[in-house]
Amino acid sequence: MRMTHKSLSQWLIGIVLAAYSVASPASDVEVLHWWTSAGEAKAASVLRKGIEQQGHQWQDFAVGGRAGISAMNTLRIRAISGNPPLAAQIKGPEITEWARLGFLRNLDDIAEAEHWEEKIPAPLRDVMQYQGSYVAAPINIHRVNWLWVNLRAFEAANADIPTDFASFFAAADKLQQAGYTPLALGGEPWQVATLFDSLALSVLGPQDYQRAFLDFDRKALLSDDVVKAFTLLARMRQYVDDSGQGRNWSDTTRLLIDNQAGMQVMGDWAKGEFFAANQQEGKAFTCVAFPGTKNAFSYNVDSFVFFKPNSQSERQSQTDIASYLLTPQFQRDFNRYKGSLPIRFDVPLPKGDRCAQQSRDAFIYAQENGTLSPSMSHGLSTTRYVQSAVFDVINEFFYNPKQTPREATEALYRAILSAQA
């Protein structure tokens, strides 16, 4: 008998809950995350030091690669074997999935004691909750729709920093003529999807973007604007290098750092790599909103969940970590290295970090004007099942010049429909 998606899900839930019921005690503080690049590792060290200063033993459980997909696959294996870590980096709708399975500790007592309602921006509170209770602790806010510019390359090519698609392609042509890779792009599926994500946000606008990738509205998904986004994606093929297949995002950012490429479309975690390489904003690099998205904010939020503890000591360790995550000191130091915004807006930004200030201004504007959108490519707008289906369609199109933008648009709609079934 063929097992449906729903019956398969129910079967896995049964196995996972049975395995968890016989779980063995976890280590003091084992923390699962996927922060492995230079900037991310510096940020993770802030968390480690903070935990150790509270007298706890840090056991690093770092699983890099594929924007957290590898880490989540590893976590599922650990959970099914009955041995999840005490804390894990999980985000978006995946938080709800783990809470629905009954794995996660309720954090309402900590949220009340630490006044999370006052510290967490209103649009992001629901992401951290399940059935009205906090089950995750947020750390930061990432802006996804950034265009990173290597100023040295632009100066050598006599190119202007893009403000729209016409100036983007004009700059790309000049960079190419000057011997640079115009657009640094790693061939991992999520990186290509990140590029398409910003294209879709630009062409559709925040409202229609949300209708398409949050509500999965048929009219929005099959619109001419989605066709246009695929058309622009196809045009960008000629500006990427031939050796990007499988290259991770931080090595791709390194192409700008090493003055080999001119631009990269990536979230503000890229800024952490520039800073880790001792590059100065305004001299070696700068940031601008992706063309057509100046007043929009596509967000990604790092957060931690805590698996139900087996002892009072484990529970206390979790309480200490969750309470520490929203302290001003952690918020300031962690996000300086990570490139992101503190989740708390009462925490000052680093002096001279113009990109951070632009990001905070953009978030505030977007929150007030309804242009704040959860990122599709980074798992904030949908489940990993739908996200994976979208990635497949986008990457098939990008590496298959024979497929038309209209065909890709129709394939995208069918893939989303099938993944939801």
Side-chain angles (χ1 to χ4, degrees), residues 116-226:
W116 286 7
E117 291 290 311
E118 301 169 14
K119 297 172 181 176
I120 302 172
L124 307 183
R125 291 179 202 144
D126 288 347
V127 182
M128 304 299 135
Q129 297 179 352
Y130 175 67
Q131 295 183 342
S133 291
Y134 280 99
V135 292
I139 299 173
N140 57 7
I141 303 169
H142 279 296
R143 191 185 193 189
V144 176
N145 53 305
W146 279 118
L147 177 67
W148 300 94
V149 172
N150 171 10
L151 292 173
R152 294 157 298 171
F154 268 68
E155 183 177 359
N158 194 28
D160 295 325
I161 295 175
T163 56
D164 53 26
F165 286 119
S167 56
F168 176 92
F169 289 115
D173 286 335
K174 286 188 174 182
L175 287 164
Q176 203 163 51
Q177 291 165 9
Y180 290 93
T181 296
L183 182 62
L185 179 66
E188 294 176 309
W190 73 269
Q191 292 188 58
V192 181
T194 296
L195 174 57
F196 177 82
D197 205 4
S198 288
L199 284 166
L201 180 65
S202 175
V203 176
L204 275 75
Q207 281 73 35
D208 281 345
Y209 173 91
Q210 292 173 33
R211 292 187 187 101
F213 296 105
L214 188 62
D215 303 329
F216 305 125
D217 177 79
R218 181 179 185 275
K219 183 177 180 181
L221 281 169
L222 292 173
S223 68
D224 290 340
D225 284 338
V226 175

Side-chain angles (χ1 to χ4, degrees), residues 68-135:
I69 295 175
S70 297
M72 289 301 95
N73 291 339
T74 302
L75 179 60
R76 289 187 181 92
I77 294 170
R78 283 283 301 272
I80 289 173
S81 69
N83 185 32
L86 280 191
Q89 182 187 358
I90 299 179
K91 60 184 181 179
E94 290 244 326
I95 295 170
T96 297
E97 290 189 23
W98 284 100
R100 182 172 55 83
L101 287 171
F103 276 98
L104 305 186
R105 174 184 167 183
N106 185 303
L107 303 177
D108 281 344
D109 55 338
I110 302 170
E112 184 176 356
E114 300 295 331
H115 307 290
W116 286 7
E117 291 290 311
E118 301 169 14
K119 297 172 181 176
I120 302 172
L124 307 183
R125 291 179 202 144
D126 288 347
V127 182
M128 304 299 135
Q129 297 179 352
Y130 175 67
Q131 295 183 342
S133 291
Y134 280 99
V135 292

Side-chain angles (χ1 to χ4, degrees), residues 196-264:
F196 177 82
D197 205 4
S198 288
L199 284 166
L201 180 65
S202 175
V203 176
L204 275 75
Q207 281 73 35
D208 281 345
Y209 173 91
Q210 292 173 33
R211 292 187 187 101
F213 296 105
L214 188 62
D215 303 329
F216 305 125
D217 177 79
R218 181 179 185 275
K219 183 177 180 181
L221 281 169
L222 292 173
S223 68
D224 290 340
D225 284 338
V226 175
V227 176
K228 182 179 178 181
F230 275 114
T231 301
L232 288 167
L233 182 64
R235 188 175 174 186
M236 290 182 177
R237 288 190 195 115
Q238 63 183 300
Y239 297 111
V240 304
D241 64 289
D242 295 330
S243 56
Q245 190 68 30
R247 184 175 59 215
N248 68 42
W249 73 269
S250 56
D251 287 341
T252 302
T253 303
R254 173 59 64 175
L255 296 180
L256 276 72
I257 293 171
D258 292 343
N259 200 27
Q260 298 176 32
M263 297 179 283
Q264 183 185 20

Side-chain angles (χ1 to χ4, degrees), residues 66 69 188-190 192-193 196 230 233 376 384-400 403 408 411-412 415-416 419:
R66 302 168 66 202
I69 295 175
E188 294 176 309
W190 73 269
V192 181
F196 177 82
F230 275 114
L233 182 64
M376 171 274 292
R384 197 167 292 276
Y385 307 113
V386 174
Q387 183 194 51
S388 178
V390 171
F391 283 9
D392 287 345
V393 171
I394 293 170
N395 278 264
E396 168 65 22
F397 173 78
F398 191 75
Y399 292 107
N400 178 14
Q403 189 179 38
L412 181 67
I416 291 174

